[in-house]
Amino acid sequence: MNQNAHEPASLPVPAADALGASAELAAQIRGAIAAAGGWLPFDRYMELALYTPGLGYYSGGARKFGRRADDGSDFVTAPELSPLFARTLARALAQALDASGTRRLMEFGAGTGRLAAGLLAAFEALGTPLDSYMIVDLSGELRERQRETIEALGGPLASRVRWLDALPERFEGVVIGNEVLDAMPIQLYARTGGVWQARGVGVDATGSLHFEARALGSPSVSLSNEDAALLAQLDAEIDPDIRYVAEVHPAGAAFIRTVCTMLARGAAFFIDYGFPRREYYHPQRTEGTLMCHYRHRAHGDPFLYPGLQDITAHVEFTRIAEAGLETGADLLGYTSQARFLMNAGMTDVLAEIDPADAAHFLPAANAVQKLLSEAEMGELFKVIAFSRGIDGTLDAFARGDRTHTL
């Protein structure tokens, strides 16, 4: 195999042991492709690259979350950026707990545990202590980091946390998922010369993984009625002579249906980057949104260093909303991260820090600016929430709600 077939010169080269693990995962993926007849749909490749036990990006030992490339991380999330994110988010979640008469919280994809630790402490400060805090995370390595972070809180708070290996059939409380949906496998369809094909993964003559298309009528291609209708709509709206890549999110939609079916009473909040359908499938977004992250650098090659880099796509929030509504859950709200955090009182939380204390106030203010700015995370990131048993809305969605755009 040509080990350097996908190696951009601008990216750091992983350590030898990491390269060895990546090569092992690539060999397993090639085996899966061979067993499937020489081709895998892209969502299956993405699943293997991210979640193969012990070797996938989220199930292996890569650091992932952090502030800088030199700490071995690949990207930063809002909880890592500032503790004020958790303190502000807690205000909105506490109101949902009160409105539903529940005292339990479940977090999906808890990262380093920093959000969990911040929320637990914030709930105590707000006078809304939790009965339990459940974490669902596929990564054993991340679970250990989460335990270390949470145990630093001390016994009483840490004792309320437990990790779930399976979801309960019924849950009453509040669910939170920050940057969970973007890491769920997507399917790809590419139109060239007016003809749609499924874009998947094959192996070339040198043994390298590469994109490979298959006709929609092929035995290995599964096209749902919903996706067929989407492609037909794109044909009607976008010049057929334009080469176009469309991403669809069946895994994310299935996840939302599972969570909203489980939710007997309470609310489920999901924070991620993305757009409603009309913006997502814009005629000018011809190559989709698929992106990879390695050492805080973004690039577009999903076959580089399998298992060592993150592979993501923006969320198509209309499909997410439809999936939740199909279960009978209510759509509690949908808005930008900036509007959600401002409605929840982020500027008030920042004001609790003395501006005269420049060593603390200035870094906090800079982080808040990144969380709220349209040029940073404030507009690209959205918050969508579903509920059962909550009358009316919450303060966090009271102004600037965008459900009409879905």
Side-chain angles (χ1 to χ4, degrees), residues 199-276:
R199 175 178 279 189
V201 182
V203 181
D204 68 16
T206 70
S208 294
L209 302 170
H210 71 121
F211 279 122
E212 189 173 305
R214 287 285 171 94
L216 296 186
S218 301
S220 54
V221 176
S222 177
L223 181 67
S224 69
N225 291 336
E226 182 178 11
D227 292 341
L230 170 66
L231 299 185
Q233 181 181 349
L234 292 176
D235 278 338
E237 295 179 351
I238 301 174
D239 187 337
D241 292 331
I242 296 176
R243 182 180 178 276
Y244 197 89
V245 175
E247 303 155 348
V248 297
H249 301 252
F255 169 73
I256 292 297
R257 282 191 288 268
T258 297
V259 171
C260 288
T261 299
M262 172 193 71
L263 185 67
R265 184 176 183 82
F269 296 77
F270 297 96
I271 306 170
D272 228 310
Y273 42 87
F275 314 99

